[in-house]
Amino acid sequence: AFEEVFGPYPFDEYGAIVVPVDTGLALETQTRSTFGIDVAGIEQFRSHELAHQWFGDSLTPTRWSDIWLSEGFASYAEMLWFDASNPAYDIDVDAENRRDSIVGVDEEPILDPGVDRWFAEAVYQRGGLTLHALRKTVGDEDFFTILQRWTAEHEHQNVTTDEFIALAEEVSGQDLDPF
């Protein structure tokens, strides 16, 4: 499902390591995601960490200030996975629910969130919601072309938000400054 929307898997192999302790988290180690025993079976965690192989491990933010390019993309990938694998899933409803869960909690910008907020829920959720809003703005055809080109043209490179915006504007033919 991810290769259809992101392009070919960027490495030769993939696997997972499950440590026999409750960690409450997972980690996107390149080609080997690591999960605590308590989260290893949670589909959302598995899809998120797999998506990091494209966004975070192949395309790596140049600066910490661009961390949403990793976490926001992986969070949106969760939504794309559920959309591809569950016919009853409604991506727009999920986007609304995710938005509602962070309203009033953390409304500071996700670009350059600062060291105290690098891994704040807003970076994950608002980053993913930004991508969903971009999809709604430019349409599915352009949006998925943007994702395919983004991963192909920057495979195994460092990336910036400015580069992503430039590509989105090029593909869509739109000035996305107001967006």
Side-chain angles (χ1 to χ4, degrees):
F2 284 168
E3 285 186 324
E4 286 180 26
V5 293
F6 303 149
Y9 180 72
F11 301 102
D12 292 332
E13 58 186 28
Y14 181 70
I17 299 165
V18 179
V19 295
V21 296
D22 290 348
T23 61
L25 54 84
L27 182 63
E28 78 274 358
T29 316
Q30 192 175 79
T31 73
R32 293 286 182 275
S33 297
T34 304
F35 302 89
I37 193 96
D38 55 328
V39 299
I42 299 174
E43 196 169 4
Q44 182 174 349
F45 278 81
R46 291 193 318 257
S47 61
H48 183 101
E49 300 312 324
L50 175 58
H52 272 308
Q53 300 309 304
W54 284 267
F55 308 105
D57 295 334
S58 176
L59 281 72
T60 303
T62 299
R63 305 173 299 259
W64 277 104
S65 61
D66 292 314
I67 191 66
W68 84 275
L69 293 172
S70 178
E71 297 305 343
F73 276 72
S75 293
Y76 193 59
E78 298 166 12
M79 298 167 72
L80 293 173
W81 169 251
F82 289 132
D83 196 42
S85 63
N86 180 352
Y89 175 80
D90 186 323
I91 197 166
D92 294 318
V93 169
D94 189 4
E96 288 175 26
N97 290 338
R98 288 173 187 239
R99 183 198 65 220
D100 291 347
S101 75
I102 60 170
V103 168
V105 175
D106 184 352
E107 297 183 352
E108 295 298 317
I110 58 170
L111 181 60
D112 197 9
V115 68
D116 294 336
R117 294 180 51 248
W118 278 339
F119 297 103
E121 191 65 15
V123 171
Y124 289 71
Q125 298 309 328
R126 287 180 57 208
L129 293 171
T130 298
L131 292 169
H132 192 62
L134 177 63
R135 180 180 178 183
K136 294 291 191 181
T137 300
V138 303
D140 281 1
E141 184 176 342
D142 282 349
F143 178 74
F144 289 112
T145 298
I146 291 165
L147 292 185
Q148 290 268 335
R149 284 192 50 195
W150 181 239
T151 60
E153 293 174 12
H154 298 282
E155 185 176 46
H156 305 305
Q157 296 178 24
N158 295 91
V159 293
T160 67
T161 298
D162 289 339
E163 291 170 323
F164 181 72
I165 292 169
L167 178 62
E169 289 183 333
E170 177 189 329
V171 170
S172 70
Q174 296 182 39
D175 173 7
L176 296 172
D177 281 348
F179 168 79

